[in-house]
Amino acid sequence: METGFSVVLPPWMQGFLRSGKGPFSSPEEKMRWVIDLSRLNVEYKTGGPFAAAVFEQNSGRLVAAGVNLVLVSGLSIAHAEITAISLAQKILSEHRLSSRSGGQYELYSSCQPCAMCLGAIPWSGISVLVCAAREEDARRAGFDEGDKPSDWCAGLEKRGIRVHLDLLRQEAAAVIQQYAAEGGILY
């Protein structure tokens, strides 16, 4: 019987993460970096076409990044957002980001969160969510995003989490379409 599990980022990410130490100066620069990460995850065939990163809000410093590792890990929870948030929490030694340090953290995601990731965001301590592709871009490719409230953005805003949508949407949607067109496994 197993008594634990781990999610490990693909080896190719080492160099890419070193290139992204930042600080990043604009939202577009952060999102472009995240979309490049999603594209590389497809090209290296290490997972689905999704990536996310946690940045320190004031400095633009990268804290942690994640890619979708569902298929390579065999774990349905190994989504990019969950991976990035989990690594950031481990790096900062805080189960709720900003709880002790008082810092504010942003989550940049190459796509709007699925139902599972949406549920994790309020408990993570993230104060800003920035998304590129839309849920319908993922669904159009064949991904199951789960059931979410139609007013999910308002729900996050009500909890004090600012939401920004469609930043470089077409670039991120193109990565999702590329993955589907190349016969990537849809789940």
Side-chain angles (χ1 to χ4, degrees), residues 35-36 38-40 42-43 48-50 110-111 132-134 136-138 140-141 143 167-182:
I35 294 169
D36 286 345
S38 71
R39 185 177 297 108
L40 288 170
V42 171
E43 289 174 8
F50 306 104
S110 64
C111 190
R134 289 223 169 187
E136 53 262 32
D137 299 322
R140 190 176 312 111
F143 285 97
L167 181 62
L168 305 178
R169 177 183 179 185
Q170 297 307 316
E171 291 178 34
V175 175
I176 297 169
Q177 289 305 314
Q178 172 192 348
Y179 177 82
E182 292 176 358

Short mmCIF file of all heavy atoms in Angstrom, two decimals, residues 35-36 38-40 42-43 48-50 110-111 132-134 136-138 140-141 143 167-182:
data_model
loop_
_atom_site.label_atom_id
_atom_site.label_comp_id
_atom_site.label_asym_id
_atom_site.label_seq_id
_atom_site.Cartn_x
_atom_site.Cartn_y
_atom_site.Cartn_z
N ILE A 35 2.62 31.27 -20.94
CA ILE A 35 2.18 30.64 -22.18
C ILE A 35 3.34 29.88 -22.83
O ILE A 35 3.16 28.77 -23.35
CB ILE A 35 1.55 31.67 -23.14
CG1 ILE A 35 0.25 32.21 -22.54
CG2 ILE A 35 1.31 31.07 -24.53
CD1 ILE A 35 -0.32 33.43 -23.25
N ASP A 36 4.53 30.45 -22.80
CA ASP A 36 5.71 29.73 -23.31
C ASP A 36 5.91 28.43 -22.55
O ASP A 36 6.25 27.40 -23.14
CB ASP A 36 6.96 30.60 -23.21
CG ASP A 36 7.01 31.72 -24.23
OD1 ASP A 36 6.23 31.68 -25.22
OD2 ASP A 36 7.82 32.65 -24.06
N SER A 38 3.55 26.63 -21.14
CA SER A 38 2.52 25.68 -21.60
C SER A 38 2.89 25.09 -22.96
O SER A 38 2.70 23.89 -23.20
CB SER A 38 1.14 26.34 -21.64
OG SER A 38 1.05 27.28 -22.68
N ARG A 39 3.43 25.91 -23.82
CA ARG A 39 3.84 25.46 -25.16
C ARG A 39 4.96 24.42 -25.06
O ARG A 39 4.93 23.39 -25.73
CB ARG A 39 4.29 26.66 -26.01
CG ARG A 39 4.62 26.31 -27.45
CD ARG A 39 5.00 27.54 -28.28
NE ARG A 39 3.89 28.49 -28.38
CZ ARG A 39 3.83 29.67 -27.76
NH1 ARG A 39 4.81 30.09 -27.00
NH2 ARG A 39 2.78 30.46 -27.91
N LEU A 40 5.92 24.68 -24.19
CA LEU A 40 7.02 23.72 -24.01
C LEU A 40 6.53 22.41 -23.40
O LEU A 40 7.04 21.34 -23.74
CB LEU A 40 8.13 24.34 -23.14
CG LEU A 40 8.95 25.43 -23.82
CD1 LEU A 40 9.84 26.14 -22.82
CD2 LEU A 40 9.78 24.83 -24.95
N VAL A 42 3.78 21.00 -24.06
CA VAL A 42 3.24 20.26 -25.21
C VAL A 42 4.38 19.74 -26.07
O VAL A 42 4.40 18.56 -26.45
CB VAL A 42 2.28 21.15 -26.03
CG1 VAL A 42 1.88 20.48 -27.33
CG2 VAL A 42 1.05 21.52 -25.20
N GLU A 43 5.34 20.60 -26.39
CA GLU A 43 6.44 20.21 -27.28
C GLU A 43 7.27 19.07 -26.69
O GLU A 43 7.69 18.17 -27.42
CB GLU A 43 7.31 21.41 -27.60
CG GLU A 43 6.62 22.41 -28.51
CD GLU A 43 7.42 23.69 -28.73
OE1 GLU A 43 8.60 23.77 -28.31
OE2 GLU A 43 6.84 24.63 -29.31
N GLY A 48 -0.36 18.21 -20.49
CA GLY A 48 -1.34 18.98 -21.24
C GLY A 48 -0.89 20.40 -21.49
O GLY A 48 0.14 20.85 -20.99
N PRO A 49 -1.70 21.15 -22.26
CA PRO A 49 -1.33 22.49 -22.72
C PRO A 49 -1.62 23.61 -21.73
O PRO A 49 -2.11 24.68 -22.10
CB PRO A 49 -2.18 22.64 -23.98
CG PRO A 49 -3.44 21.91 -23.64
CD PRO A 49 -2.98 20.72 -22.83
N PHE A 50 -1.33 23.36 -20.47
CA PHE A 50 -1.66 24.34 -19.44
C PHE A 50 -0.45 24.60 -18.55
O PHE A 50 0.30 23.68 -18.22
CB PHE A 50 -2.83 23.84 -18.58
CG PHE A 50 -4.03 23.46 -19.38
CD1 PHE A 50 -4.35 22.13 -19.60
CD2 PHE A 50 -4.85 24.43 -19.93
CE1 PHE A 50 -5.45 21.76 -20.35
CE2 PHE A 50 -5.97 24.08 -20.70
CZ PHE A 50 -6.27 22.74 -20.90
N SER A 110 -2.51 29.98 -17.82
CA SER A 110 -2.67 30.03 -19.27
C SER A 110 -4.13 29.81 -19.69
O SER A 110 -4.47 30.05 -20.84
CB SER A 110 -1.77 29.00 -19.95
OG SER A 110 -2.14 27.69 -19.60
N CYS A 111 -4.98 29.38 -18.75
CA CYS A 111 -6.39 29.18 -19.05
C CYS A 111 -7.20 29.43 -17.78
O CYS A 111 -6.68 29.28 -16.67
CB CYS A 111 -6.63 27.75 -19.54
SG CYS A 111 -8.28 27.44 -20.20
N ALA A 132 -5.44 33.69 -19.26
CA ALA A 132 -5.30 33.94 -20.69
C ALA A 132 -6.48 33.33 -21.44
O ALA A 132 -7.48 34.01 -21.65
CB ALA A 132 -3.97 33.37 -21.19
N ALA A 133 -6.40 32.05 -21.80
CA ALA A 133 -7.49 31.41 -22.55
C ALA A 133 -8.74 31.30 -21.69
O ALA A 133 -8.67 31.33 -20.47
CB ALA A 133 -7.04 30.04 -23.04
N ARG A 134 -9.85 31.15 -22.35
CA ARG A 134 -11.13 30.99 -21.66
C ARG A 134 -11.48 29.51 -21.53
O ARG A 134 -10.99 28.67 -22.28
CB ARG A 134 -12.24 31.70 -22.43
CG ARG A 134 -12.11 33.20 -22.34
CD ARG A 134 -13.43 33.78 -22.12
NE ARG A 134 -13.28 35.20 -21.79
CZ ARG A 134 -14.29 35.92 -21.42
NH1 ARG A 134 -15.49 35.40 -21.35
NH2 ARG A 134 -14.11 37.18 -21.12
N GLU A 136 -14.13 28.14 -22.49
CA GLU A 136 -14.69 27.63 -23.75
C GLU A 136 -13.61 27.25 -24.76
O GLU A 136 -13.82 26.39 -25.62
CB GLU A 136 -15.70 28.60 -24.37
CG GLU A 136 -15.21 30.00 -24.56
CD GLU A 136 -15.63 30.97 -23.45
OE1 GLU A 136 -15.77 30.55 -22.28
OE2 GLU A 136 -15.80 32.15 -23.76
N ASP A 137 -12.42 27.86 -24.67
CA ASP A 137 -11.31 27.46 -25.54
C ASP A 137 -10.87 26.04 -25.20
O ASP A 137 -10.59 25.24 -26.09
CB ASP A 137 -10.13 28.43 -25.39
CG ASP A 137 -10.48 29.85 -25.78
OD1 ASP A 137 -11.24 30.05 -26.76
OD2 ASP A 137 -10.00 30.79 -25.11
N ALA A 138 -10.81 25.71 -23.91
CA ALA A 138 -10.44 24.36 -23.48
C ALA A 138 -11.55 23.36 -23.83
O ALA A 138 -11.26 22.26 -24.32
CB ALA A 138 -10.16 24.35 -21.98
N ARG A 140 -13.75 23.62 -26.23
CA ARG A 140 -13.79 23.47 -27.69
C ARG A 140 -12.77 22.43 -28.15
O ARG A 140 -13.01 21.68 -29.09
CB ARG A 140 -13.52 24.81 -28.37
CG ARG A 140 -13.79 24.81 -29.87
CD ARG A 140 -13.62 26.18 -30.53
NE ARG A 140 -14.29 27.26 -29.82
CZ ARG A 140 -13.69 28.25 -29.15
NH1 ARG A 140 -12.36 28.31 -29.12
NH2 ARG A 140 -14.37 29.18 -28.55
N ALA A 141 -11.64 22.36 -27.48
CA ALA A 141 -10.61 21.37 -27.82
C ALA A 141 -10.98 19.98 -27.33
O ALA A 141 -10.43 18.99 -27.80
CB ALA A 141 -9.27 21.79 -27.22
N PHE A 143 -11.56 19.31 -23.68
CA PHE A 143 -11.29 19.12 -22.25
C PHE A 143 -12.56 19.26 -21.42
O PHE A 143 -13.43 20.07 -21.74
CB PHE A 143 -10.25 20.15 -21.75
CG PHE A 143 -8.86 19.83 -22.19
CD1 PHE A 143 -8.31 20.44 -23.30
CD2 PHE A 143 -8.08 18.91 -21.49
CE1 PHE A 143 -7.02 20.14 -23.72
CE2 PHE A 143 -6.81 18.61 -21.89
CZ PHE A 143 -6.27 19.22 -23.02
N LEU A 167 -6.02 37.96 -20.96
CA LEU A 167 -4.70 38.54 -21.23
C LEU A 167 -3.95 37.58 -22.16
O LEU A 167 -3.64 36.45 -21.78
CB LEU A 167 -3.92 38.76 -19.93
CG LEU A 167 -2.53 39.38 -20.10
CD1 LEU A 167 -2.64 40.78 -20.70
CD2 LEU A 167 -1.80 39.43 -18.77
N LEU A 168 -3.73 37.99 -23.38
CA LEU A 168 -3.08 37.18 -24.42
C LEU A 168 -3.88 35.90 -24.71
O LEU A 168 -3.31 34.83 -24.93
CB LEU A 168 -1.63 36.86 -24.04
CG LEU A 168 -0.74 38.07 -23.72
CD1 LEU A 168 0.65 37.61 -23.32
CD2 LEU A 168 -0.66 39.01 -24.91
N ARG A 169 -5.18 36.03 -24.71
CA ARG A 169 -6.07 34.88 -24.89
C ARG A 169 -5.76 34.10 -26.16
O ARG A 169 -5.71 32.87 -26.13
CB ARG A 169 -7.53 35.35 -24.90
CG ARG A 169 -8.50 34.22 -25.17
CD ARG A 169 -9.93 34.67 -25.25
NE ARG A 169 -10.82 33.55 -25.54
CZ ARG A 169 -12.10 33.68 -25.75
NH1 ARG A 169 -12.68 34.88 -25.68
NH2 ARG A 169 -12.83 32.61 -26.03
N GLN A 170 -5.63 34.77 -27.28
CA GLN A 170 -5.43 34.08 -28.55
C GLN A 170 -4.15 33.25 -28.55
O GLN A 170 -4.13 32.13 -29.08
CB GLN A 170 -5.44 35.07 -29.72
CG GLN A 170 -6.76 35.81 -29.89
CD GLN A 170 -7.95 34.87 -29.97
OE1 GLN A 170 -7.93 33.85 -30.65
NE2 GLN A 170 -9.00 35.20 -29.24
N GLU A 171 -3.09 33.77 -27.94
CA GLU A 171 -1.83 33.02 -27.88
C GLU A 171 -1.99 31.75 -27.06
O GLU A 171 -1.51 30.67 -27.44
CB GLU A 171 -0.72 33.89 -27.27
CG GLU A 171 -0.29 35.04 -28.15
CD GLU A 171 0.78 35.90 -27.50
OE1 GLU A 171 1.61 35.36 -26.74
OE2 GLU A 171 0.77 37.12 -27.74
N ALA A 172 -2.67 31.84 -25.93
CA ALA A 172 -2.87 30.67 -25.07
C ALA A 172 -3.83 29.67 -25.71
O ALA A 172 -3.60 28.45 -25.67
CB ALA A 172 -3.38 31.11 -23.71
N ALA A 173 -4.89 30.16 -26.35
CA ALA A 173 -5.85 29.27 -27.02
C ALA A 173 -5.18 28.52 -28.16
O ALA A 173 -5.51 27.35 -28.41
CB ALA A 173 -7.05 30.08 -27.52
N ALA A 174 -4.23 29.15 -28.82
CA ALA A 174 -3.51 28.49 -29.92
C ALA A 174 -2.71 27.29 -29.41
O ALA A 174 -2.62 26.27 -30.11
CB ALA A 174 -2.59 29.49 -30.62
N VAL A 175 -2.16 27.38 -28.22
CA VAL A 175 -1.41 26.24 -27.64
C VAL A 175 -2.37 25.09 -27.36
O VAL A 175 -2.06 23.92 -27.64
CB VAL A 175 -0.66 26.66 -26.35
CG1 VAL A 175 0.01 25.46 -25.70
CG2 VAL A 175 0.36 27.74 -26.64
N ILE A 176 -3.54 25.39 -26.84
CA ILE A 176 -4.54 24.35 -26.56
C ILE A 176 -4.96 23.68 -27.87
O ILE A 176 -5.04 22.45 -27.95
CB ILE A 176 -5.76 24.95 -25.83
CG1 ILE A 176 -5.35 25.49 -24.46
CG2 ILE A 176 -6.88 23.91 -25.69
CD1 ILE A 176 -6.42 26.33 -23.76
N GLN A 177 -5.22 24.48 -28.89
CA GLN A 177 -5.62 23.93 -30.19
C GLN A 177 -4.50 23.10 -30.81
O GLN A 177 -4.75 22.05 -31.41
CB GLN A 177 -6.06 25.05 -31.13
CG GLN A 177 -7.38 25.68 -30.74
CD GLN A 177 -8.50 24.66 -30.62
OE1 GLN A 177 -8.69 23.80 -31.47
NE2 GLN A 177 -9.25 24.75 -29.53
N GLN A 178 -3.26 23.54 -30.66
CA GLN A 178 -2.11 22.80 -31.18
C GLN A 178 -2.05 21.41 -30.53
O GLN A 178 -1.87 20.40 -31.21
CB GLN A 178 -0.81 23.56 -30.89
CG GLN A 178 0.47 22.79 -31.23
CD GLN A 178 1.72 23.45 -30.66
OE1 GLN A 178 1.71 24.59 -30.20
NE2 GLN A 178 2.81 22.73 -30.70
N TYR A 179 -2.22 21.38 -29.23
CA TYR A 179 -2.20 20.11 -28.49
C TYR A 179 -3.28 19.17 -29.01
O TYR A 179 -3.01 17.99 -29.28
CB TYR A 179 -2.41 20.40 -26.99
CG TYR A 179 -2.49 19.17 -26.12
CD1 TYR A 179 -1.33 18.54 -25.68
CD2 TYR A 179 -3.71 18.65 -25.72
CE1 TYR A 179 -1.39 17.41 -24.88
CE2 TYR A 179 -3.79 17.53 -24.92
CZ TYR A 179 -2.63 16.90 -24.48
OH TYR A 179 -2.69 15.80 -23.69
N ALA A 180 -4.49 19.66 -29.17
CA ALA A 180 -5.60 18.83 -29.66
C ALA A 180 -5.35 18.38 -31.09
O ALA A 180 -5.57 17.21 -31.42
CB ALA A 180 -6.91 19.60 -29.54
N ALA A 181 -4.87 19.28 -31.94
CA ALA A 181 -4.62 18.96 -33.34
C ALA A 181 -3.53 17.90 -33.51
O ALA A 181 -3.57 17.11 -34.46
CB ALA A 181 -4.23 20.23 -34.11
N GLU A 182 -2.59 17.87 -32.59
CA GLU A 182 -1.51 16.90 -32.65
C GLU A 182 -1.88 15.57 -31.99
O GLU A 182 -1.05 14.68 -31.83
CB GLU A 182 -0.25 17.47 -31.99
CG GLU A 182 0.36 18.61 -32.77
CD GLU A 182 1.56 19.26 -32.07
OE1 GLU A 182 1.90 18.85 -30.95
OE2 GLU A 182 2.12 20.19 -32.65
#
